[in-house]
Amino acid sequence: MPVKAWAAAGICLALLGGLAAWLLTGREAAAPCNGLPEDTGVRQSLGANLRPGMSCAAVGEAVVKATSGNEPGRHTQAQAQAMKNVLFALAFEHPRELALDPALRSPLANALADYAPDLHAMLAGLDSQYVLQAGRDAPPWEADGTYHLSVYTNVLRETVRAVAEDPAAYALLRMTETRTAAQHLVDVPADATGHAFTAPPTTNARAFGILDGIANAVTHGQDKDQAQKWRRTVMDRLLDEPATPKTYREDPAAYLTATWINDLKDTPDKDRPDRLRTQGIDMARTWTRERTTEEQTRQALLAEVDGSQLSAYREIKP
């Protein structure tokens, strides 16, 4: 064989060898705990809570400790910044198919649930303040006695999808959004009309639709038994929530939440997944009934809510 041919063959073999080595070792070379311990922003935020050689479960606990407030929904600037740093460290470099270490899923779900108002706004994606403040360098801002955070839509959705691989974690976020949605309905003034009346229920429906789409994306690649097990676990967690409501007058948000859970319990097992995808319209229906909304206005709103949840669901590609 001519010298040039031997040289070319040697180069090809070297390239093939390098490719094979990359395929064999690439996954092993991935940073542990999705690189959180190595990320500069995360290290600064977690401080002494982050130590060399920690397990991923311990890293998750450190994240919860650094991001959680003294009461749900109340955070310092440092806590909100820590949550933002973690979200960007996880999903900014991996906008599709983030494979989250299983030990991080439950802690991250708990951390996100502590930011219920922000989670709601980011899921729906309609609040201009959250859009403007979504960049990595945009700091948390203070409003209503706490600091809020925002991240890019793809960062939030991909992180939630990765967290939702754990069905119990998904159920936690779903219930968090349920309670937040109920409160948003209750906060609508009795004399509200136009956008002030329609925006909260349609925004709720968008957030639920995104969560519906994420659930579909999680189960899309699973076999039938795996998908059924995931859905069953989610449903069991949701139905295990306390559902003994007072009257709407006594505690309207608790009433809306408990009524939805009880309606889900009264739905036949085989129909519950489909019933979950009508959560926005079901909660809006109860809400308008309790407000004694005029029937024509009520039906027009429910149609708008239904369309909002469906269109949001379609935004998430499996």
Side-chain angles (χ1 to χ4, degrees), residues 89-304:
L90 287 172
F92 186 64
E93 302 297 336
H94 307 280
R96 291 285 295 173
E97 300 301 328
L98 168 64
L100 195 62
D101 188 288
L104 292 174
R105 292 170 185 161
S106 180
L108 285 170
N110 280 283
L112 284 167
D114 204 58
Y115 289 80
D118 297 330
L119 179 64
H120 170 82
M122 289 188 287
L123 284 171
L126 299 176
D127 190 311
S128 59
Q129 178 75 34
Y130 283 83
V131 174
L132 292 172
Q133 298 294 119
R136 191 166 198 166
D137 295 329
W141 69 97
E142 188 175 13
D144 304 320
T146 187
Y147 278 88
H148 298 272
L149 70 103
S150 180
V151 296
Y152 295 134
T153 296
N154 68 301
V155 170
L156 187 279
R157 291 181 180 180
E158 191 57 27
T159 302
V160 173
R161 187 207 60 77
V163 166
E165 294 286 342
D166 179 342
Y170 176 85
L172 171 63
L173 295 180
R174 187 88 191 201
M175 276 309 307
T176 298
E177 177 55 32
T178 298
R179 294 189 179 96
T180 305
Q183 190 60 54
H184 276 278
L185 293 177
V186 170
D187 289 342
V188 177
D191 59 351
T193 59
H195 182 74
F197 174 70
T198 61
T202 52
T203 300
N204 288 349
R206 268 197 57 79
F208 287 132
I210 295 299
L211 290 175
D212 292 338
I214 287 171
N216 182 58
V218 168
T219 57
H220 182 75
Q222 298 176 343
D223 63 37
K224 183 178 180 180
D225 290 340
Q226 288 177 318
Q228 287 181 342
K229 181 179 179 181
W230 188 92
R231 295 190 190 98
R232 185 167 57 251
T233 301
V234 168
M235 200 62 65
D236 287 347
R237 292 297 182 110
L238 294 177
L239 297 179
D240 196 42
E241 290 289 326
T244 53
K246 298 179 180 180
T247 65
Y248 185 81
R249 183 182 297 274
E250 290 174 305
D251 192 338
Y255 178 84
L256 292 175
T257 299
T259 299
W260 174 73
I261 293 172
N262 284 325
D263 287 346
L264 197 60
K265 287 180 178 179
D266 292 339
T267 303
D269 289 355
K270 63 182 180 63
D271 297 329
R272 283 174 179 163
D274 289 335
R275 187 64 185 270
L276 194 62
R277 288 191 287 272
T278 65
Q279 184 172 3
I281 194 171
D282 287 342
M283 293 184 71
R285 183 182 291 112
T286 302
W287 174 65
T288 52
R289 184 186 66 224
E290 294 298 327
R291 287 170 61 101
T292 62
T293 303
E294 192 271 331
E295 186 62 21
Q296 184 176 354
T297 302
R298 184 170 184 250
Q299 292 304 323
L301 172 68
L302 295 180
E304 189 174 346

Side-chain angles (χ1 to χ4, degrees), residues 64-76 79-80 114-115 145-146:
V64 173
K65 186 174 182 179
T67 60
S68 300
N70 292 329
E71 58 180 290
R74 298 288 177 180
H75 304 96
T76 66
Q79 289 165 344
D114 204 58
Y115 289 80
T146 187

